Amino acid sequence: QEQLVESGGDSVQAGGSLRLSCVVSGIPVLNNHIGWFRRAPGKGREGVAVMDYGGRPQYVDSVKGRFTISRDTVKNTFSLQMNNLKPEDTAMYYCAASRSRRGVTLSETSFGYWGQGTQVTVSS
């Protein structure tokens, strides 16, 4: 069965860093799309960073230059390195995977497998 479990969320000061990790079971990250999404209170889920099965990343404009998505195909995990965090980054963060053989975007529509979420809180 397919299962994703993310971890690494915490409360930090603005300018700090966090690294979120996603442990994936039942889905090879080498052969499938992966991604990170977030949902702030009262808002919809937003695509933050995705990587297609060829290892090509995409980022939402607000995190470019600060966040980096990466994968470890041996451990079958992937991560989101978050630097220079800002209060507006405060949200519940979710990892996701897709078995689609087509191209991936920051839209959640083609991601069918989701983790439970990990909370990131950035204070000023």
Side-chain angles (χ1 to χ4, degrees), residues 59-116:
Y59 301 95
V60 68
D61 286 346
S62 61
V63 310
K64 288 180 179 177
R66 300 189 297 121
F67 291 9
T68 304
I69 185 172
S70 61
R71 66 185 180 183
D72 186 328
T73 59
V74 175
K75 296 182 178 180
N76 211 52
T77 64
F78 62 99
S79 300
L80 184 69
Q81 179 65 46
M82 309 164 68
N83 296 329
N84 192 24
L85 284 160
K86 303 176 179 180
E88 51 263 45
D89 295 318
T90 295
M92 186 73 75
Y93 283 72
Y94 301 86
C95 61
S98 170
R99 288 190 178 276
S100 175
R101 296 296 89 189
R102 297 181 176 179
V104 70
T105 71
L106 290 164
S107 172
E108 68 176 357
T109 58
S110 64
F111 286 82
Y113 305 95
W114 296 87
Q116 82 290 346

